[in-house]
Structures are given as structure tokens and as C-alpha cells.
Amino acid sequence: MKIRIGILGYGNLGRGIECAVRQNDDMELAAVFTRREPSSVKILTEGVNVYSVNDVEKHKDEIDVMILCGGSATDLPKQTPEFVKYFNVIDSFDTHANIPKHFDSVDAAAKASGNVGIISVGWDPGMFSLNRLYANAILSDGKDYTFWGKGVSQGHSDAIRRIDGVKDARQYTVPVEESLAAVRNGENPDLTTRQKHTRECYVVVEDGADKDRIANEIKTMPNYFADYDTTVYFISEEELKANHSGIPHGGSVIRTGKTGWNGENTHVIEYSLKLDSNPEFTSSVLIAYARAAYRMKKEGQSGCKTVFDVAPAYLCRQSGEELRKHLL
Amino acid sequence: MKIRIGILGYGNLGRGIECAVRQNDDMELAAVFTRREPSSVKILTEGVNVYSVNDVEKHKDEIDVMILCGGSATDLPKQTPEFVKYFNVIDSFDTHANIPKHFDSVDAAAKASGNVGIISVGWDPGMFSLNRLYANAILSDGKDYTFWGKGVSQGHSDAIRRIDGVKDARQYTVPVEESLAAVRNGENPDLTTRQKHTRECYVVVEDGADKDRIANEIKTMPNYFADYDTTVYFISEEELKANHSGIPHGGSVIRTGKTGWNGENTHVIEYSLKLDSNPEFTSSVLIAYARAAYRMKKEGQSGCKTVFDVAPAYLCRQSGEELRKHLL
């Protein structure tokens, strides 16, 4: 009997989930739910229905784990506590500051329904968080660093697109190589925002737009760009399509720390990702945690969980015996 | 109330545990147990007693978690199932092929006593295993690579020391940079043993010893060196002491894999360690799992566990709330 996966929201992430389910033969895609008119949504998997999100309750018994693919700003704060009433759910809620509040609201609903809801799954929050935790548990006297990129920041790209005269844009977050090297070398540098990342912007403008003004508006934009060394490249729409249509990302979580009777030895722990497709990798993480949610629920667990609460063995289809034999 | 840690066996690893306990103020060193004459063992921590291992049962109620610092060849297969009768225990059993058998014998004894025994803790097995598991759970269509070094292999150093005419030796395992680069680049190479690591040997010989014979014996030694490109450097005893007295190690676990409807996107996950002191880092991992064993026992759990079975949050002294707020 396969784990029946539902997808709620069919954008980049939903499509990534669909692909990831196909790669895991202990799972099957049961249904896709959308806010759009269902007949207008074409999915890749043959023989699977697309339903309106309004009918979700009717399909309560057809789905073991529902993956919520909405956004963190407005969708998930409502959706996750709502849908955990009917399903085990996984979300990728990534507004770090609001995680405690989101946890509480999902936890209350999940405990009431007896389902499992795993929140903030993905790579940051998610795998990066896990690696921060493991490294902190091991090196109690140490320092954490997180570098992102080189990769596309959707939020920063959107911020550029809102500027008058801009037709399209793609923003890459790029770690500063010298800083990364110093951290890897165990030098424990104190780094400002500017010393950690630079920002590269590829911008397509409307005919006759004032490029100087646009470049200046980008570079001085508070929060998004003002604290960074930002480079703006004006390119054609064709060039943007040809060279910047992917959604790569990645980064490194590094902790350096000291051990010994007098802190005489230094250690460097690094976890790094190089991702061709941010949404597809995120989806692959979500799917592994869907397996965990399914098993935890079967064991009688309920409530809200994060990656910190899930024993690693739950993520794999193999038995404990097989895991010890082949991966330990 | 602090977690009371016992150390059984006071060599490099035992001393590492002692240092790690000092760095974690939710713990205290309760006692050290030795097979030597206790009065001959001088430890670093003031006011802590050294007892004979024969008296261990008498101190049953003074220790929350006993860290077993013996060797995997003959000590731990006997010690871990024996001492889990009296204590929660942690070991660093690292004979990969015998882990299933060791697990079963510890599990039976731990279930009978109601204690928790966590085995094969350290970095490989241990953190490297965990990263193999996470990466496999995420990228189901992929390939695993493990590179060790640059670091000292105790087993290979010992093998050289057994050669006639050799006074002392230090062997470094070194990853082949080109292979590592190809893996990191997502090229999925098939690598032979020789293509993954080289071996560097620093050897001190007795006066008048035949260096050509010794170098030849090293390079042709089956299992240890014959399958590798091995370089032998003859150095003086002083040079060995001055430049090769540390026990550094490290390495990388890498998984590359594909996602997408037709596997069109490639991802690289890498976990890497650069360690000044192999035993001190291993000790720091053991101590984090000692905290987990203490908590799991308190919750009523018992039996043998590995790093795969321990939810990450158990490793940290912070509450779930604090972890979600600061590390997620």
C-alpha cells in the first residue's frame, strides 16, 4: 500500500512535489487541489484528478499526507492549521520570525484532530536549521555562519520588478568568496552584511526607461539592497530568458568551534548545497518529511513538529535494520 | 541538577570526553573508571575520583550516562552489553560490518535493564552516517561519495610500526583533489580506490635499517596500501614529534542526485569536517548523545539506539521553543 500524497497549490513547488512523488515508489499522487478553476490546471501525472480547494474535505479519506504549497505571507498561516484538521500536512513556512506563532496554531489544531503537521520543511528553514542544530550540539564553544547562494532570490527579483520602468528582473545572491574562505579556514571573522554577500541584478527595462535612475533605485533600496554591494546589469528580454530562466540556489552552513582543556583545537563543520532547482530540491525534502508524518501518525503521534522533532530514520523507506547495515 | 557523566577508559577519547564535559555546564564528570591501577591514572578534573573498572557496579547510582571509551575490536563488543545493565551508555563502535550484531546484543541487554544504549556515535560512523541518511532520503535518485582526510589513520600508522626496522610512523589519508572536484561539480564519476585517496607515510627507522625494503614493504602491503598511490618519507624522530604529533582528521560526505520530471536538474549535498583533533571532536559528539540518552531514559524509553533513532532536539539543552526561535 503506497502513501497517498495530495498537493494543495500547483505552482513551481507543487510541480516539484509531483516530480518527487514519481521518484519514490512507496508513494503515489492521489490528487491536486487548486484555488483556480480545476479544469484550467494541467498536471504532468496521467489519471490523477485536479479538484477545487473548496472540495478538500470530501477527499479526506483518499489522502494520507497533504503537502501545502502556498506562500508564507498569507496562505500558510491560515491553511496549515485549517487543513491539519483533515489531513497530516507538511508545509514550508519560511518567515523565521513568525515560526513560534505558526507552530502554536498548528499544534493546537493538530492535537485536536489527532493528525501530524510538520512545518518549516525545506532547506532554510529545514536542512540548514538541522545542520545548525547538530553543529551547535557538538561544538558548544563556537560560532555560526550561514552563506546563501549563488542563487536566485525570488523576493529580491520581485522588489526590482516593482520599480517603474522595469519589465523583468532576476536577482542573484552571491557569497563573498574571501569571507567564505576565512570562515572555512577557522579564522572566526566578524562579518558585516556587506562582507557576507553581494547582489547581482539582471534587469530588462521598458523602451526609453532611465537606466541610471533604475540602477540608483535598486542600489539604495532599504533592507533589500542598500546594505550590500550591488551590481546592476541591463540585458535584453531574450538574454534573460536564455541565461537566467533557471531557479538555482544553495549555500553553506558553517560552524567553527574549539575543544580541548584550554580550547587548543579548532574544528570546522560545513554543510553545503548546490541546487539546480530550488523548488525541486525543496520538494524532495518535503516528500521525505511526508513519509515521516505518515509513519508518526501511524504510531499514534499527533501535533505540530519541525525537522528538530523527527528522528532521521522516519525519513527513509528502509527498515532500521537495513539502514544500520547500509548507511551507518 | 546536572547530568552526571562517567568515563570508562582513560586514553585519548576519555580525555576528550573530560574536556567536552567541561564545555557543557548542564553536565558534570562524576567518575572515571580504568582497567589500570586507579592511583596510576592522573586526570585533569580536580576532585573527581578514578576507580577500578571492577568496582563499576558499586557506583551504579552516581552516574546518569557512562561513556565507553574502549576499542571496537575486543573491548566494546563485551563492554557495551555488559555495562548497559547498570547505566545508560554511549559507545563509538566503528567496525561497520559488525554493527548489526553489536546492535542486537546491546538491544537485548538494554531492554532487559530498562536503560538506553546509543552505539556507533562519533563522526564516521555517526555524523557522516546521518548525512548519508538525510541525503539519501532527499535525493532518491543519486550517488554517494565519502572522502576521508586529510587526516591521521591510526590503523595504518600501526601497520607501518609493525614492520621490522621501523621505530615510529604516522600515516595520512589524503583525498584526491581532482576526484573531489569532479564529484562536487556533479559529474558523478565512478572512482576506484586509487582514484579516491592517496596515502602519505612519515616513517622513523632504526639506525642502519634498509629503507628500500621498508618502503617496499609498506607500498605492497595488502588491504592497507597496495591499492593506493603511497608515498613514503623517512624523517627523524625529532621531526615526527615536531610536525606530526597532532591527530587531525576530517572528510566529506557528498551525494549528488537528479530531480525533475525527466531528471533534468542536478543537486549536490555536501557535509564536510576539518578537525584539529579526531578524538576531541568524537568526544564532543558522544557528549551530545549522552544528553539525548539521559532524556530518552527519563521519558521511559529503553533499548539500543543509533544516531538514526534520535530526534535532533534531544541533543540540545535548549527547550523546543528556544530551538524553534533561534535555530530553525
Side-chain angles (χ1 to χ4, degrees), chain A residues 22-23 129 132 134 138 184 258-261 265-266 268 270 272 274 276 280 284 308 312-313 327-328, chain B residues 22-23 125 129 132 134 138 184 258-261 265-266 268 270 272 274 276 280 284 308 312-313 327-328:
Chain A
R22 193 193 194 199
Q23 288 187 308
S129 323
R132 281 189 282 266
Y134 279 118
I138 296 169
R184 284 180 175 146
K258 295 188 175 302
T259 65
W261 194 247
N265 288 309
T266 296
V268 182
E270 174 168 356
S272 65
K274 268 186 291 185
D276 270 1
E280 286 180 11
S284 300
F308 296 162
L327 292 177
L328 198 62
Chain B
R22 193 194 195 199
Q23 288 187 309
S129 322
R132 280 189 281 266
Y134 278 118
I138 296 168
R184 284 180 175 147
K258 294 187 177 302
T259 65
W261 194 247
N265 287 309
T266 297
V268 182
E270 174 167 358
S272 66
K274 268 186 291 186
D276 270 3
E280 286 180 11
S284 300
F308 295 163
L327 292 177
L328 198 63

Side-chain angles (χ1 to χ4, degrees), chain A residues 83-281:
Chain A
F83 294 119
V84 81
K85 291 180 190 165
Y86 315 113
F87 307 100
N88 300 306
V89 299
I90 311 291
D91 80 21
S92 58
F93 185 78
D94 67 358
T95 312
H96 290 261
N98 296 339
I99 287 174
K101 195 179 152 197
H102 188 56
F103 181 93
D104 290 341
S105 84
V106 176
D107 195 46
K111 280 183 176 145
S113 68
N115 287 320
V116 171
I118 311 183
I119 63 162
S120 300
V121 178
W123 59 275
D124 196 2
M127 298 312 296
F128 272 19
S129 323
L130 262 184
N131 278 280
R132 281 189 282 266
L133 184 151
Y134 279 118
N136 272 269
I138 296 169
L139 295 176
S140 38
D141 177 14
K143 201 165 169 177
D144 291 309
Y145 296 89
T146 303
F147 290 91
W148 292 275
K150 182 180 178 176
V152 172
S153 165
Q154 212 56 56
H156 287 78
S157 302
D158 288 344
I160 300 173
R161 284 189 203 105
R162 285 191 292 264
I163 293 173
D164 196 44
V166 171
K167 275 179 86 172
D168 204 352
R170 193 58 51 107
Q171 194 270 179
Y172 294 92
T173 306
V174 185
V176 175
E177 277 304 326
E178 300 73 43
S179 302
L180 197 46
V183 171
R184 284 180 175 146
N185 202 29
E187 294 169 25
N188 275 346
D190 286 311
L191 299 170
T192 62
T193 298
R194 194 176 297 275
Q195 288 171 316
K196 279 189 278 193
H197 299 94
T198 58
R199 299 199 175 277
E200 291 178 8
C201 313
Y202 294 83
V203 183
V204 182
V205 295
E206 282 159 10
D207 285 349
D210 179 348
K211 291 181 180 174
D212 286 347
R213 173 190 55 81
I214 290 172
N216 189 54
E217 277 194 45
I218 294 172
K219 291 181 182 184
T220 57
M221 197 185 296
N223 302 319
Y224 285 87
F225 295 99
D227 298 334
Y228 299 85
D229 289 339
T230 301
T231 315
V232 178
Y233 302 96
F234 291 101
I235 60 173
S236 68
E237 202 156 6
E238 294 68 42
E239 210 181 327
L240 191 83
K241 241 179 221 160
N243 301 332
H244 304 282
S245 61
I247 318 175
H249 219 313
S252 296
V253 169
I254 303 174
R255 186 169 171 87
T256 57
K258 295 188 175 302
T259 65
W261 194 247
N262 293 306
E264 56 272 32
N265 288 309
T266 296
H267 308 277
V268 182
I269 305 175
E270 174 168 356
Y271 178 79
S272 65
L273 296 173
K274 268 186 291 185
L275 314 176
D276 270 1
S277 163
N278 185 351
E280 286 180 11
F281 186 81

